[in-house]
């Protein structure tokens, strides 16, 4: 049985924690879109000490010795970032080998000129800047769509790689210079290209055949989404989005598997909302409360360290994410962060230019002026951190959760009360209904 994990809000919902928790139940963990703009945190407690891993490109299953991890064709890979991540994991004692990390030969490469272009284009946008992670994500996907990108498979044929790199570097340099930037050093790029080829080639293979063949043999897939529904290039708050399909369709196109193979779909959602970068955020809190949530939830970007904007739970978005992705269930995270609050708001609709709606508008400008319509619930003001049994949650927390689930239109398969694996309430009966008999350690 396969399972997809999807972000429902603007990212950083805790996808890494949920994937890490589930990974021992699956044979293969697959990243299928995005790049190292993602930062997925995994906390493992060993001998009383927390070890923290932030995964950017490598699937969050990598710390489990039995997992095979796949970087699918829909991902954009910066070879430098990937090599650094591999080195970092090895330093922490995690084995990364051509056997447990497979890279799709169809995945496109992020090259240094993409990063330089990301910076130039953002600075030209001025006050309309997207607030990208400056990782070259947009420019790399642009080259993919313009049919001039280089792919991981190109790293397996060095003479042809060098030729393609040279042509692309010249083209990119003329654009960079035109935009007032500095050209990148072509000779350095060619030298780096040879080195990347040598180090990464053993991992590169046709993962489309691999995943379909393994699936046919009965091996199970855990599909790990990056970013989130509201950052999706089609369904998010365009143009304040990322450049890939982070909604469920991306799992098929980005892994090369048919829709029927995606299996169960679970959306990860915070008990409140956060956003990094620019763009509309109707329930954003600009006051001390927003700062308190940021401090308690440690809401700073796992990739860029930027403070995350914080606000109330938005049920309009939650319902939209359930609809667009066909979510079977939700994994609610960070309930513990709300423990101290006397009152908690839930956004149940928007008022846009005087008109009430319960739908996400297509236009970012309309979303920007949307005033949230709130329902207020009493807080529980008791600690929930670490609770792993639903019945032990304060009654008011149970009532809050029931209302969130009702408004979102999906049940909670997981309720997370802390960053660690065991700080999780799991509805095993609900998962069993979807054919997922989980062993959780
Ligand atoms: P991702 O990008 O969706 O994987 O999420 P990030 O790793 O960027 O951000 C989620 C952060 O919340 C990480 O620092 C996690 O360790 C932490 N986290 C996850 N679940 C919980 C939870 O239930 N409670 C608390 N307090 N922290 C959590
Ligand atoms: P995970 O997987 C939160 C945001 C950026 C910016 C916009 C476009 O950890 O949830 P990009 O660099 O992709 O062109 O930036 O998307 N963004 C994320 N925000 N979590 C992420 O990933 C993000 N990846 C991109 O902040 O607003
Ligand atoms: Mg993150």
């Amino acid at each position: 049985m396969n399972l997809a994990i999807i972000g429902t809000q603007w990212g950083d919902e805790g996808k890494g924690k949920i994937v890490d928790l589930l990974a021992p139940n699956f044979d293969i963990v697959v990243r299928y879109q995005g790049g190292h703009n993602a930062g997925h945190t995994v906390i493992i407690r060993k001998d009383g000490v927390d070890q923290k891993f932030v995964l950017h490109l490598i699937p969050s299953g990598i710390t489990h010795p039995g997992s095979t991890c796949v970087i699918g064709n829909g991902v954009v890979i910066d070879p430098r970032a990937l090599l650094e991540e591999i080195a970092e994991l090895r330093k922490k004692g995690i084995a990364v080998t051509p056997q447990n990390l497979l890279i799709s030969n169809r995945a496109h490469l992020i090259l240094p000129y993409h990063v330089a272009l990301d910076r130039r284009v953002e600075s030209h946008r001025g006050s309309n800047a997207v607030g990208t992670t400056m990782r070259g994500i947009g420019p790399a996907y642009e080259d993919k769509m313009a049919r001039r990108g280089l792919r991981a498979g190109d790293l397996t044929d060095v003479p042809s790689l060098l030729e393609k790199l040279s042509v692309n570097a010249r083209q990119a340099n003329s654009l960079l210079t035109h935009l007032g930037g500095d050209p990148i050093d072509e000779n350095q790029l060619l030298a780096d290209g040879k080195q990347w080829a040598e180090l990464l080639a053993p991992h590169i293979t046709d993962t489309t055949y691999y995943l379909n063949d393994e699936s046919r043999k009965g091996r199970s897939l855990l599909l790990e989404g990056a970013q989130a529904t509201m950052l999706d290039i089609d369904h998010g708050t365009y143009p304040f989005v990322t450049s890939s399909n982070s909604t469920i369709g991306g799992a098929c196109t980005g892994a090369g598997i048919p829709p029927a193979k995606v299996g169960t779909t679970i959306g990860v959602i915070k008990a409140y909302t956060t956003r990094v970068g620019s763009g509309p955020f109707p329930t954003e809190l600009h006051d001390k409360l927003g700062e308190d949530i940021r401090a308690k939830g440690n809401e700073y970007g796992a990739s860029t360290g930027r403070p995350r904007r914080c606000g109330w739970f938005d049920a309009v978005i939650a319902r939209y994410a359930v609809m667009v992705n066909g979510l079977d269930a939700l994994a609610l995270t960070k309930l513990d962060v709300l423990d101290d609050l006397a009152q908690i708001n839930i956004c149940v609709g928007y008022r846009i230019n005087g008109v009430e709606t319960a739908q996400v508008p297509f236009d970012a400008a309309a979303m920007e002026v949307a005033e949230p319509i709130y329902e207020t619930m009493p807080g529980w003001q008791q600690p929930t951190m670490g609770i792993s049994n639903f019945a032990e949650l304060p009654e008011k927390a149970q009532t809050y959760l029931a209302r969130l689930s009702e408004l979102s239109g999906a049940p909670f398969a997981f309720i997370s009360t802390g960053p660690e694996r065991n700080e999780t309430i799991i509805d095993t009966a609900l998962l069993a209904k979807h054919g997922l008999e989980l062993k959780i350690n």
Side-chain angles (χ1 to χ4, degrees):
M1 189 64 200
N2 302 336
L3 173 65
I5 297 295
I6 301 267
T8 53
Q9 297 160 315
W10 278 286
D12 305 323
E13 296 90 351
K15 298 175 290 293
K17 165 176 167 162
I18 301 296
V19 169
D20 166 68
L21 179 76
L22 290 169
N25 295 277
F26 293 84
D27 299 305
I28 305 170
V29 188
V30 191
R31 268 284 305 272
Y32 53 82
Q33 47 70 232
H36 65 309
N37 47 351
H40 295 181
T41 314
V42 170
I43 308 276
I44 304 173
R45 197 169 181 80
K46 216 172 153 192
D47 307 326
V49 181
D50 279 344
Q51 203 180 8
K52 177 172 160 176
F53 298 88
V54 182
L55 284 322
H56 299 285
L57 272 164
I58 297 180
S60 302
I62 195 72
T63 66
H64 297 278
S67 296
T68 304
C69 290
V70 171
I71 299 180
N73 60 281
V75 175
V76 281
I77 302 171
D78 182 329
R80 292 176 299 184
L82 180 56
L83 288 165
E84 271 170 34
E85 193 169 336
I86 293 173
E88 195 62 33
L89 284 166
R90 286 185 180 149
K91 224 165 51 190
K92 289 185 174 167
I94 306 293
V96 183
T97 66
Q99 285 69 48
N100 74 347
L101 178 66
L102 311 184
I103 301 171
S104 168
N105 49 9
R106 291 180 171 82
H108 278 249
L109 298 180
I110 300 183
L111 295 160
Y113 50 79
H114 291 129
V115 181
L117 281 166
D118 201 352
R119 289 182 193 285
R120 285 317 302 162
V121 171
E122 274 288 89
S123 90
H124 272 261
R125 283 196 188 111
S127 61
N128 290 320
V130 175
T132 74
T133 58
M134 302 283 185
R135 302 288 201 260
I137 304 292
Y141 277 116
E142 279 178 49
D143 273 2
K144 171 176 175 172
M145 291 306 172
R147 298 164 294 190
R148 59 171 171 253
L150 269 85
R151 300 185 294 174
D154 289 316
L155 294 170
T156 59
D157 178 352
V158 172
S160 148
L161 169 76
L162 297 183
E163 226 170 87
K164 289 177 182 168
L165 274 178
S166 189
V167 170
N168 278 23
R170 279 175 209 177
Q171 220 177 71
N173 274 344
S174 79
L175 182 55
L176 265 172
T177 329
H178 178 73
L179 291 171
D182 294 324
I184 60 124
D185 182 341
E186 190 186 324
N187 289 330
Q188 182 65 50
L189 175 63
L190 299 184
D192 289 344
K194 274 195 229 166
Q195 209 195 3
W196 300 332
E198 194 182 311
L199 295 168
L200 292 175
H203 298 269
I204 297 168
T205 185
D206 191 321
T207 59
T208 305
Y209 277 104
Y210 173 79
L211 291 173
N212 283 285
D213 286 348
E214 293 301 308
S215 175
R216 213 171 297 118
K217 286 185 220 158
R219 296 188 83 205
S220 55
L221 312 180
L222 177 59
L223 299 149
E224 176 178 4
Q227 289 82 53
T229 303
M230 300 311 291
L231 288 171
D232 181 278
I233 185 76
D234 284 283
H235 303 292
T237 45
Y238 190 89
F240 301 100
V241 291
T242 191
S243 297
S244 64
N245 281 119
S246 34
T247 50
I248 193 65
C252 306
T253 52
I257 56 167
K261 283 254 148 96
V262 170
T264 304
T265 308
I266 293 183
V268 188
I269 195 157
K270 272 181 202 176
Y272 49 96
T273 312
T274 64
R275 170 162 209 170
V276 212
S278 320
F281 179 179
T283 63
E284 182 169 12
L285 287 161
H286 297 278
D287 54 8
K288 165 95 172 44
L289 187 53
E291 285 169 28
D292 291 347
I293 293 176
R294 180 180 308 128
K296 177 117 201 256
N298 193 21
E299 295 295 357
Y300 294 89
S303 276
T304 59
R306 291 180 290 176
R308 295 175 183 151
R309 301 155 65 193
C310 298
W312 296 117
F313 187 92
D314 187 335
V316 177
I317 284 173
R319 214 165 28 237
Y320 180 70
V322 169
M323 174 183 79
V324 169
N325 298 296
L327 300 178
D328 295 300
L330 291 163
L332 185 109
T333 60
K334 305 194 100 159
L335 182 69
D336 53 292
V337 175
L338 303 183
D339 282 352
D340 301 333
L341 304 184
Q343 289 196 317
I344 303 177
N345 283 345
I346 307 172
C347 171
V348 294
Y350 302 143
R351 196 171 292 108
I352 302 178
N353 300 319
V355 181
E356 283 189 18
T357 176
Q359 294 193 356
V360 173
F362 101 98
D363 185 8
M367 188 97 162
E368 191 64 63
V369 297
E371 298 163 46
I373 300 168
Y374 286 124
E375 208 173 271
T376 302
M377 300 195 73
W380 44 94
Q381 297 187 288
Q382 285 176 58
T384 62
M385 181 103 186
I387 290 181
S388 57
N389 179 351
F390 188 83
E392 285 171 25
L393 287 176
E395 210 178 300
K396 285 177 181 150
Q398 294 190 12
T399 312
Y400 176 66
L401 290 168
R403 187 65 182 138
L404 295 192
S405 173
E406 182 183 26
L407 288 166
S408 307
F412 293 135
F414 300 88
I415 296 160
S416 170
T417 57
E420 286 170 32
R421 286 172 183 164
N422 60 351
E423 295 174 319
T424 317
I425 298 164
I426 304 174
D427 187 339
T428 46
L430 173 62
L431 292 168
K433 261 204 270 178
H434 290 284
L436 300 163
E437 300 283 352
L438 297 190
K439 313 181 286 289
I440 304 287
N441 52 8

